[in-house]
Amino acid sequence: MDTSSKNQTLAELCRQYVAQGHTCANQVYVESANGAVVRDVAGREYIDFSGGIGVMNIGHSHPKIVAAIRNQAEKFTHTCFMVLPYEPLVKLAERLCAVAQVKGPKKALFVNSGAEAVENAVKIARYYTKKPGIIAFDNAYHGRTLLTMSLTSKVKPYKFGFGPFAPEIYHMPYAYCYRCSFGLKYPSCDTYCADHLKEFFINQSAAENIAALIAEPIQGEGGFITPPAEYFPKLLDICRNKGILFVADEIQSGMGRTGRMFAMEHWNVQADIVTVAKSLAAGMPLSAVVGKAEIMDSPHASGLGGTYSGNPVACSAALAVMEVYEEEDIVGKGALLGQKLRKHFDDLQKEFEIIGEVRGKGPMLALELVKDRESKEPATDKTKKLVKACFDKGLILLSCGTYGNVIRNLMPLVITDEQLNRGISIMRDGFLSLTR
Ligand SMILES: Cc1ncc(COP(=O)(O)O)c(C=O)c1O
């Protein structure tokens, strides 16, 4: 078959047999991927600024990961840890506990997806505190299962028509300074949004009812919303005084994405429980819940787990990922990439009025696009156009944000300067095309 028509044939099959709810942003089918470059079945190359939604921090097809997967698959692929345990899982638990931003002795639990990690973090927090309530935030994204969809904030497409939702979930405004829910300005606001938690206990639910507060340190899907320095220390102070646990959902912001191993390090605060997934196993389905040993050990025997939880092939891949992080200083590379990206984006913002704000930490940077810098009206249609124009020129970009007007960057942290510059140049052409 002619390779260029292969994309079309596969798209037709997809339309016929794959549920449309499982939407593909692009009908171009992948043949192979390496580092920060993806090749389609027609042989066309794309620079990848999406990393499969932040999963490929160490780059596609890293030889060490491929070898670890092959090696483990040749030994055995499954026994179920609950029936017969194996070395890769316990070794990985040790490594992850050593780096997690949690104080004191820690323990880990492995499951399969980000949503499943969040589900388990909530289960454990409820069990430990013997309280049902969970506070999440506006603009939050925690997954697509019933509980995590209930924690998620954006209604369309994530929640619309899928209710009723799980009970005892509450939402509170986040520190979205560019669009403050309280109409205040930082720093004169004195981070009122954190103090608002005290009002919440009066108007929404008593602190005695709340097991945990769950937050993404930098909201991913919500638009890379990045709270100011005082926010988390203040918020956590209130929580600790009320016996409320803090769950940091680091699924998107963790594993070096912000130029630190975990984003919470930027605020110099520690969580009681952290959820980790995405770049943890370089694409193998694996997620983790890491928390204070006392909290993690509270649920009774067999209260946690699952058939595939902590699959040995996925755990071996993750162990290899941890080695690559050390050997290649992936976190340091990320910090350096963050500086380069910031410079590129600041330059783009000077050139293009449509870029209302550049925000984030390290290479977890986003551009919020607005029709007018004064009114800040979201430029949703132009964001879509930009993503499409860039894709047509060979750059994979992802949008996000409550209004779909934010361009987020989740490229592999090992992207070369040449690939980065080529990508930025395509982006610049894309912005130019919007002005024509
Ligand atoms: C912060 C955060 N939490 C949870 C999830 C859900 O992860 P998964 O899609 O692996 O279920 C995501 C996915 O994007 C995420 O970004």
Side-chain angles (χ1 to χ4, degrees):
M1 188 192 300
D2 164 18
T3 49
S4 59
S5 64
K6 203 166 168 192
N7 274 318
Q8 280 166 16
T9 309
L10 291 170
E12 193 42 55
L13 262 186
C14 184
R15 257 191 297 279
Q16 205 173 343
Y17 292 112
V18 180
Q20 70 154 350
H22 195 181
T23 311
C24 318
N26 304 293
Q27 279 298 337
V28 157
Y29 287 77
V30 179
E31 175 70 33
S32 63
N34 213 287
V37 174
V38 176
R39 250 161 252 97
D40 77 359
V41 289
R44 191 161 181 232
E45 284 194 354
Y46 298 81
I47 295 171
D48 186 6
F49 274 17
S50 77
I53 321 191
V55 171
M56 304 311 301
N57 283 3
I58 63 162
H60 292 279
S61 310
H62 192 293
K64 266 210 141 177
I65 311 308
V66 174
I69 291 170
R70 185 178 294 128
N71 187 29
Q72 181 56 47
E74 278 171 0
K75 288 187 193 161
F76 65 97
T77 55
H78 177 83
T79 57
C80 183
F81 191 77
M82 299 185 295
V83 179
L84 285 171
Y86 34 82
E87 180 174 325
L89 189 149
V90 287
K91 284 259 168 84
L92 181 62
E94 182 188 26
R95 294 229 38 176
L96 211 49
C97 285
V99 295
Q101 184 75 350
V102 173
K103 205 172 175 182
K106 284 155 256 183
K107 285 202 172 185
L109 164 75
F110 294 100
V111 281
N112 302 291
S113 68
E116 210 186 342
V118 173
E119 291 260 355
N120 277 281
V122 169
K123 273 173 73 172
I124 296 166
R126 282 178 168 163
Y127 199 101
Y128 178 76
T129 59
K130 307 282 176 251
K131 299 191 279 185
I134 305 290
I135 303 176
F137 289 92
D138 291 350
N139 316 301
Y141 181 82
H142 297 288
R144 285 180 150 97
T145 58
L146 174 63
L147 179 64
T148 57
M149 172 178 63
S150 307
L151 292 166
T152 290
S153 157
K154 193 169 172 178
V155 178
K156 285 187 180 176
Y158 303 123
K159 302 174 80 153
F160 184 74
F162 295 127
F165 303 110
E168 286 300 334
I169 305 283
Y170 303 89
H171 281 93
M172 210 176 99
Y174 199 59
Y176 191 178
C177 299
Y178 189 64
R179 299 180 187 278
C180 178
S181 304
F182 304 100
L184 301 172
K185 281 233 176 320
Y186 179 79
S188 59
C189 63
D190 197 21
T191 46
Y192 170 73
C193 50
D195 288 319
H196 182 70
L197 185 51
K198 293 176 196 155
E199 295 289 315
F200 172 94
F201 296 142
I202 298 165
N203 295 316
Q204 302 280 329
S205 179
E208 294 87 327
N209 183 51
I210 303 295
L213 178 139
I214 180 166
E216 302 156 81
I218 296 180
Q219 290 185 321
E221 174 61 29
F224 283 17
I225 301 168
T226 312
E230 307 86 334
Y231 183 71
F232 280 116
K234 210 175 191 187
L235 201 63
L236 267 60
D237 228 34
I238 302 172
C239 287
R240 302 239 146 100
N241 283 333
K242 299 283 187 191
I244 294 170
L245 300 183
F246 175 57
V247 179
D249 182 349
E250 292 258 20
I251 286 166
Q252 194 159 150
S253 59
M255 297 302 293
R257 175 46 54 192
T258 66
R260 304 275 180 93
M261 191 62 174
F262 289 103
M264 268 321 204
E265 294 169 34
H266 291 285
W267 285 269
N268 205 17
V269 289
Q270 287 163 320
D272 298 296
I273 300 174
V274 180
T275 53
V276 191
K278 294 204 184 271
S279 281
L280 172 63
M284 296 302 289
L286 184 73
S287 61
V289 185
V290 186
K292 286 185 179 158
E294 181 196 344
I295 297 173
M296 295 298 290
D297 271 344
S298 63
H300 51 259
S302 300
L304 307 171
T307 306
Y308 300 111
S309 297
N311 169 274
V313 181
C315 286
S316 298
L319 267 176
V321 165
M322 299 301 272
E323 275 164 28
V324 170
Y325 267 64
E326 255 182 51
E327 289 164 8
E328 298 182 20
D329 186 21
I330 297 294
V331 178
K333 275 199 174 86
L336 205 62
L337 172 64
Q339 289 168 18
K340 292 176 197 165
L341 264 183
R342 176 67 76 166
K343 165 94 181 65
H344 283 303
F345 290 163
D346 285 347
D347 288 348
L348 286 174
Q349 192 186 22
K350 277 183 207 127
E351 190 174 355
F352 299 104
E353 271 293 299
I354 193 169
I355 302 173
E357 185 174 61
V358 178
R359 62 169 172 259
K361 292 216 180 266
M364 189 168 181
L365 281 185
L367 312 170
E368 175 149 2
L369 308 190
V370 290
K371 290 185 181 166
D372 177 277
R373 284 191 184 174
E374 205 54 46
S375 71
K376 298 183 182 174
E377 191 183 336
T380 308
D381 288 345
K382 288 209 167 168
T383 308
K384 277 193 198 121
K385 276 191 190 143
L386 178 75
V387 171
K388 166 95 177 50
C390 289
F391 189 77
D392 291 346
K393 299 277 184 205
L395 173 68
I396 305 164
L397 273 190
L398 280 181
S399 64
C400 65
T402 301
Y403 309 104
N405 66 324
V406 179
I407 298 291
R408 61 174 150 174
N409 291 278
L410 292 168
M411 68 270 286
L413 303 177
V414 295
I415 191 168
T416 65
D417 281 347
E418 193 271 323
Q419 290 159 349
L420 177 67
N421 294 340
R422 199 146 42 101
I424 296 290
S425 158
I426 295 173
M427 232 171 150
R428 185 171 175 273
D429 288 347
F431 277 113
L432 279 173
S433 76
L434 296 181
T435 59
R436 276 180 217 127

